Amino acid sequence: MQDDLTSVWEATANNAPETQKPEGEYACDVLVIGGGFTGMSCALQLAKGGASVIVVDTIRPGFGASGRNGGQVIPGLKHDPDKIDRLYGEFSTAFAGKTAETTFNLIKEHDIDCDATPSGWIQGSVKRDHLGWLENRMREWQTRGADVKMLDTAEIQALSGSQRLVGGWLDNRAGQLHPLKYIRGLTRAAQAAGCQVFAPAPVQRVKSISRKWHAEIGDGTASITSDHLVVATNAYSGDLFPKLRKSLIPVNSFQVATAPLSEEQLATVLPTKTPVSDSRRIGNYFRIGPGGRLMIGGRGSFADPVSRAAFNGIVSELHAYYPWTKSVPIEFCWSGRLAMTYDHLPHIHRPVDNMTMAVGYNGRGVALSTSLGKAIADNLLAPDTPLPLRFSDISPLIAHDMHRAYATIAIWYYRLRDYLES
Ligand SMILES: Cc1cc2nc3c(=O)[nH]c(=O)nc-3n(C[C@H](O)[C@H](O)[C@H](O)COP(=O)(O)OP(=O)(O)OC[C@H]3O[C@@H](n4cnc5c(N)ncnc54)[C@H](O)[C@@H]3O)c2cc1C
């Protein structure tokens, strides 16, 4: 029997927005496939700009990573600003630096109730060796005017309540939110702007006929015709576009949340409620979640978990950060899939002029996918509006079917390097 793997977000979110199962034939300017942050923020912006938009999701909005993540709203890409400048130019670096601000502004503009707080974010380290490159990263943002600073051992241990962290940096542009409330609020905002949201509505096939897209939904009882197609299926991309699926490595991230902590415990663990990610190659992220629960996440197995035993590794990490939590029960265990790319960069593709795809946030997608979805909409509404990233060709990974084996070996290798550097 499968254990209960309901997330803390599902247990504490407001009601899901009404969506309908499509039946019959529909037409719109833009069909968006995928009801996560990318698809929904794109749809919202398009609808606000006067386009007729339909969003479809296989299960429901927020079924993918957007309804399951850690809720850390972190600006930037995985790469540092100087490197983003070299790869894409300063416009892209400025865009990346503002993704958290864009997200918080959108939440404010639409009055989305999702516990959003600009509490900052700490990238901490359990290794002194990492402090040099963390300081470089901090300085590169600082020279661009970002409100960031280094934290010494005493400061990070006071802010985290963990003796395991030896230093890090604080990014005051960042913050956190309740991801499922956020995607539900974004969906309601898109609906209020005139967008139709269909779910359950899996797209089975798309065909291009006379420059229009024809999407066949579910068992073939519904179809949608559109001028443009936006594909925002990320790590949940199936065989609708096999080349796209093969350009990504879907990776499971596992999370657990404890029972609510006492006031005394909350005064010592993350007392300012600033979330933390650690800088190891296979690191963890943690924060205080709904009801004063301590949450921690990290890399899980490639197979979707079916039992709570699969989360033992993450629970051990929790105990390593906070040994006193050994006596605190774990209430929630859940997982979701994020999409890794070979170059650790997000990819946008425009394989033909009336189709746009945006994928591959490498685990840093809350702010980035929201902002990229919006940027794609701005570009569709006014084609002269530049996109923050260049279009790339869809590049399927060689021997993609072996990716689980390769990636499992890579993860063990990185874990070993993390260990040897301790
Ligand atoms: C456990 C976990 C923790 C994370 N923590 C953080 C964090 O703290 N901070 C951060 O910045 N990032 C985090 N991320 C990453 C972030 O959640 C993602 O980058 C982001 O949500 C991606 O959004 P998306 O809209 O592109 O994709 P998703 O939210 O995955 O949405 C894709 C949607 O497409 C739908 N779909 C797929 N195929 C079809 C089809 N054929 N027809 C119709 N619909 C289809 C799926 O049902 C799904 O709902 C985390 C990810 C996970 C999994």
Side-chain angles (χ1 to χ4, degrees), residues 33-39 56-74 201-204 232-238 240 251 253-255 285 334-338 358 361 363-367 369:
I33 307 178
F37 301 144
T38 308
V56 288
D57 199 282
T58 302
I59 310 290
R60 60 183 168 271
F63 170 76
S66 299
R68 303 160 182 261
N69 58 71
Q72 301 196 2
V73 184
I74 307 167
V203 178
Q204 305 290 8
T233 49
N234 208 38
Y236 291 79
S237 301
L240 189 58
V251 170
S253 189
F254 285 14
Q255 283 185 86
Y285 48 96
W334 73 100
S335 70
R337 260 179 260 157
L338 51 93
Y361 305 105
R364 280 287 173 80
V366 174
S369 61

Side-chain angles (χ1 to χ4, degrees), residues 10 12-18 180-181 183-185 188:
E10 281 177 75
T12 57
N14 42 14
N15 291 340
E18 298 261 314
L180 191 56
K181 285 188 183 176
I183 185 61
R184 289 182 175 176
R188 284 195 181 89

Side-chain angles (χ1 to χ4, degrees), residues 398-409:
I398 295 164
H400 182 266
D401 293 341
M402 292 291 290
H403 71 263
R404 280 187 178 207
Y406 293 148
T408 304
I409 292 166

